[in-house]
Amino acid sequence: MATKETRRLRIKRSVRSKISGTSECPRLTVFRSNKQIYAQVIDDKSGTTLAAASSLKISDKAPKKEIAAKVGEKIAQNAREAGIETVVFDRNGYLYHGRVKELADAARKGGLKF
């Protein structure tokens, strides 16, 4: 019987075999823990992180979905400052629901195209 973590890692491997970030269209990846959420824009060809944002610097006492939306806005702002307009979205094996969806929607509102 697979645990949640092994199931997520299996899905992650499957997704990562299909998508890859380039310098023209980098990969926006999301990691969520029980308390925090992180987002990175990665160029897989050179193996570098081009932009990053996390909920660690947000000190608001708000629901996790609202904090995820703020991280989405921040990653969009950081990516635009780095000259990135389009990305490919990597949900990292998580379901496209809840905090992951809020982050993606806020990044779209912030000007990222994916």
Side-chain angles (χ1 to χ4, degrees), residues 5-6 35 41 103 113:
E5 183 66 17
T6 57
K35 294 184 178 183
V41 177
L103 189 143
K113 294 180 182 68

Side-chain angles (χ1 to χ4, degrees), residues 20-27 41-46 50 86 88:
S20 178
T22 63
S23 57
E24 298 85 37
C25 185
R27 177 171 56 99
V41 177
I42 301 170
D43 177 7
D44 288 318
K45 300 281 187 205
S46 64
L50 306 172
T86 60
V88 72

Side-chain angles (χ1 to χ4, degrees), residues 10-57:
R10 182 176 48 80
I11 293 169
K12 178 181 176 178
R13 278 194 305 270
S14 170
V15 169
R16 286 287 288 123
S17 69
K18 297 177 185 102
I19 65 170
S20 178
T22 63
S23 57
E24 298 85 37
C25 185
R27 177 171 56 99
L28 171 62
T29 186
V30 175
F31 176 76
R32 67 175 174 83
S33 67
N34 286 338
K35 294 184 178 183
Q36 308 294 337
I37 190 159
Y38 309 84
Q40 289 183 324
V41 177
I42 301 170
D43 177 7
D44 288 318
K45 300 281 187 205
S46 64
T48 57
T49 299
L50 306 172
S54 73
S55 60
L56 290 172
K57 298 213 166 66

Side-chain angles (χ1 to χ4, degrees), residues 20-111:
S20 178
T22 63
S23 57
E24 298 85 37
C25 185
R27 177 171 56 99
L28 171 62
T29 186
V30 175
F31 176 76
R32 67 175 174 83
S33 67
N34 286 338
K35 294 184 178 183
Q36 308 294 337
I37 190 159
Y38 309 84
Q40 289 183 324
V41 177
I42 301 170
D43 177 7
D44 288 318
K45 300 281 187 205
S46 64
T48 57
T49 299
L50 306 172
S54 73
S55 60
L56 290 172
K57 298 213 166 66
I58 299 172
S59 60
D60 297 357
K61 285 288 185 187
K64 292 179 186 177
K65 283 173 123 181
E66 289 179 18
I67 291 175
K70 288 180 183 176
V71 172
E73 293 168 6
K74 185 71 175 164
I75 192 67
Q77 177 186 354
N78 291 348
R80 278 184 294 142
E81 288 172 2
I84 299 162
E85 293 294 321
T86 60
V87 295
V88 72
F89 188 68
D90 177 10
R91 58 190 172 89
N92 214 359
Y94 301 111
L95 294 176
Y96 187 77
H97 182 265
R99 290 192 283 161
V100 175
K101 185 176 187 298
E102 288 292 323
L103 189 143
D105 291 343
R108 280 193 190 100
K109 273 187 201 164

